[in-house]
Amino acid sequence: MGDEIALVMDLIARLAIALKAAPMTRWPNAWRHQVDEHWTITLNGQREAIRVPIMGAPFELPPYHCVVEYNGWLAGLIQPYGGELAAGEAANEATLCAALLRALARLEEPE
């Protein structure tokens, strides 16, 4: 699972750069982005843990971690060196990577 999580984090970083959201340290309350109609990511670029609302409740997001939601449900907690992500039929590393790649492709489309 480590290689898949590394790919997810790479795509999240590429998306943040493409959206001009980097560097992550400029977001004191985490950077939150709706990737598509299913996936939402919230990334903590701070050196300290911060509280973010996940599923309507405060969630302690560790430094340099990303919480992943699928249809509003907690689907994973990842960081550049690993983590946990849902392994369901619709919510898994492959479908999240596909959503991130589509989001990147939309940004590259000419207007």
Side-chain angles (χ1 to χ4, degrees):
M1 173 140 103
D3 290 342
E4 294 89 358
I5 295 293
L7 176 58
V8 169
M9 286 301 294
D10 177 64
L11 292 171
I12 290 171
R14 289 181 192 200
L15 183 60
I17 291 165
L19 290 169
K20 301 192 181 348
M24 290 295 110
T25 54
R26 73 181 221 199
W27 302 95
N29 297 318
W31 177 64
R32 185 171 176 86
H33 182 71
Q34 183 82 38
V35 177
D36 66 10
E37 67 274 12
H38 301 290
W39 294 101
T40 304
I41 54 176
T42 305
L43 184 69
N44 178 6
Q46 304 301 317
R47 293 182 185 192
E48 303 85 28
I50 56 175
R51 292 186 153 245
V52 295
I54 302 296
M55 296 175 33
F59 181 85
E60 189 85 9
L61 185 55
Y64 313 116
H65 280 64
C66 180
V67 67
V68 178
E69 296 169 83
Y70 183 81
N71 290 338
W73 292 91
L74 179 62
L77 180 64
I78 58 176
Q79 45 103 352
Y81 306 104
E84 301 290 328
L85 194 60
E89 190 173 309
N92 56 55
E93 290 101 340
T95 58
L96 176 54
C97 285
L100 291 163
L101 286 168
R102 284 191 304 273
L104 284 163
R106 281 191 304 273
L107 291 171
E108 294 173 356
E109 291 175 356
E111 294 185 23

